[in-house]
Amino acid sequence: MRLYRAKDYNDMSRKAANIISAQIILKPDCVLGLATGSTPIGTYQQLIARYQEGDLDFSQVRTANLDEYRGLTRDNDQSYYYFMYHNLFKEVNIDMANTNIPDGTNPDSAAEAARYDQVIRDLGGVDLQLLGMGHNGHIGFNEPSDAFDKGTHCVDLQPSTIEANKRFFASIDDVPKQAYTMGIQTIMSARKILLLVSGAEKAEILHKALCGPITPHVPASVLQLHNDVTVVADEAALSKFDQ
Ligand code: F6R
């Protein structure tokens, strides 16, 4: 595991964009696993700037997002499809046919999970998986539990996740209670993983995830078992490492 210490959120975003840019330059038709949330927004802005400067070409890049709220349509401004379209895809020369996100409107969770796992297999797997981490250590929407989940599945979001995500919705009652997410095994099958963490409120869980026991109660701790993980975290998120 490589750990890069960034000064702040902007520095973290720049370092992350450097790594993703290198991946795209070295393998123009690479498969990027993408994440939503606040953490990667700055990284996507950096990637857009590099595209605009002529340094990056997304024309052959393929993507598979980690997760999607169950029940939200693509045009719902809180759906992860909407997030990806507005924060990255519409700003670069990616072919939308090459982008993949679980279908939140599929009411049949078993069928959607099987379909999405097949999509990832058909892509030949993920070359570089970008991850954020929840306050409870979740990655994708793999919430703390007694066992690591394997493939794509439907999850009940934990109250702490609903609480953390309510900032994006008109009220807490509007936050979906379920989501489709890649499983831990899907995430661990990526050839490379890039975990981004920012902010003091994640310092404790980041320390547990990287230095504590590997346990499904801290889902991100499983990353200790992957042989190509890069963590880029800012000083605030790394404060527990200094003590
Ligand atoms: C998003 C995702 C989540 C987030 C996590 C952190 O696609 O899978 O695991 O990465 O909830 O969210 P932020 O970045 O908003 O703190």
Side-chain angles (χ1 to χ4, degrees), residues 47-173:
L47 291 174
I48 292 165
R50 286 158 205 219
Y51 163 72
Q52 287 168 345
E53 283 154 17
D55 290 332
L56 271 188
D57 174 13
F58 287 81
S59 61
Q60 297 177 64
V61 169
R62 297 164 298 151
T63 66
N65 261 79
L66 281 167
D67 41 19
E68 176 61 283
Y69 286 121
R70 190 173 187 207
L72 297 194
T73 53
R74 288 175 162 197
D75 58 351
N76 185 308
D77 63 3
Q78 294 308 328
S79 75
Y80 286 173
Y81 182 95
Y82 189 98
F83 176 103
M84 288 310 305
Y85 185 72
H86 288 276
N87 284 295
L88 181 63
F89 297 155
K90 82 173 168 55
E91 305 294 344
V92 296
N93 66 334
I94 199 162
D95 179 350
M96 284 305 292
N98 286 337
T99 67
N100 299 280
I101 301 182
D103 178 4
T105 64
N106 189 344
D108 183 339
S109 50
E112 182 52 22
R115 183 196 71 82
Y116 202 63
D117 282 339
Q118 189 59 45
V119 164
I120 294 169
R121 275 195 295 276
D122 290 347
L123 288 169
V126 171
D127 289 302
L128 176 64
Q129 177 66 56
L130 178 62
L131 295 177
M133 184 179 63
H135 296 89
N136 58 7
H138 73 219
I139 48 176
F141 272 134
N142 293 277
E143 300 281 31
S145 70
D146 291 336
F148 288 118
D149 276 298
K150 293 185 177 146
T152 303
H153 58 287
C154 180
V155 278
D156 294 329
L157 301 182
Q158 290 204 344
S160 63
T161 300
I162 292 171
E163 179 67 28
N165 289 1
K166 76 171 187 213
R167 66 193 194 277
F168 300 115
F169 292 83
S171 86
I172 194 159
D173 296 331

Side-chain angles (χ1 to χ4, degrees), residues 10-22:
N10 283 340
D11 190 31
M12 175 195 78
S13 303
R14 240 171 18 88
K15 287 179 162 57
N18 285 345
I19 293 167
I20 297 169
S21 300

